Amino acid sequence: MRNLDVSKLNFIETSCDFCRSNESCLVYSVSFLNLEFRFVRCSTCNLIYQNPMLDKASRSHIYETIEYWNHKGTDSRSPTMLNYYSYLSDKRTRW
């Protein structure tokens, strides 16, 4: 297992996985590991997704790090963990 190397993380712009629209609006933005993670809502179908998202190599790197596995035993609603609950708990994302 290795330590996280933030310089190996690469973000790519993406379209909605459901309808392929490129139109979206920002729902939630959070700083994590000194990087900005943005969650957007598709203007066509309302799907909420991360954009830009980490590319495949970046996701593989994260899954092989100590930082990732140290979070596996924590409460999924922990304020130090970026996940689904990070933006679900924010009232701006609710219908």
Side-chain angles (χ1 to χ4, degrees):
M1 216 165 312
R2 57 180 109 167
N3 289 318
L4 180 66
D5 181 354
V6 177
S7 70
K8 291 185 177 182
L9 302 182
N10 182 44
F11 287 90
I12 54 173
E13 290 288 326
T14 187
S15 59
C16 176
D17 276 343
F18 188 72
C19 72
R20 296 292 176 214
S21 173
N22 289 319
E23 301 296 322
S24 63
C25 60
L26 182 65
V27 174
Y28 188 75
S29 177
V30 63
S31 178
F32 185 68
L33 302 172
N34 293 321
L35 299 168
E36 181 184 20
F37 288 80
R38 296 177 47 216
F39 295 88
V40 298
R41 175 175 287 145
C42 176
S43 298
T44 303
C45 71
N46 291 318
L47 179 71
I48 296 175
Y49 60 100
Q50 185 182 345
N51 192 26
M53 64 183 287
L54 292 169
D55 65 13
K56 186 176 181 178
S58 298
R59 292 190 307 269
S60 292
H61 174 65
I62 284 178
Y63 298 147
E64 296 171 351
T65 65
I66 294 167
E67 290 84 354
Y68 174 79
W69 290 102
N70 281 346
H71 280 296
K72 296 301 280 181
T74 62
D75 179 6
S76 62
R77 295 175 189 260
S78 168
T80 61
M81 180 129 176
L82 178 63
N83 60 23
Y84 178 75
Y85 296 108
S86 301
Y87 69 88
L88 183 63
S89 63
D90 192 315
K91 292 179 182 176
R92 294 173 295 169
T93 63
R94 295 187 184 157
W95 292 99

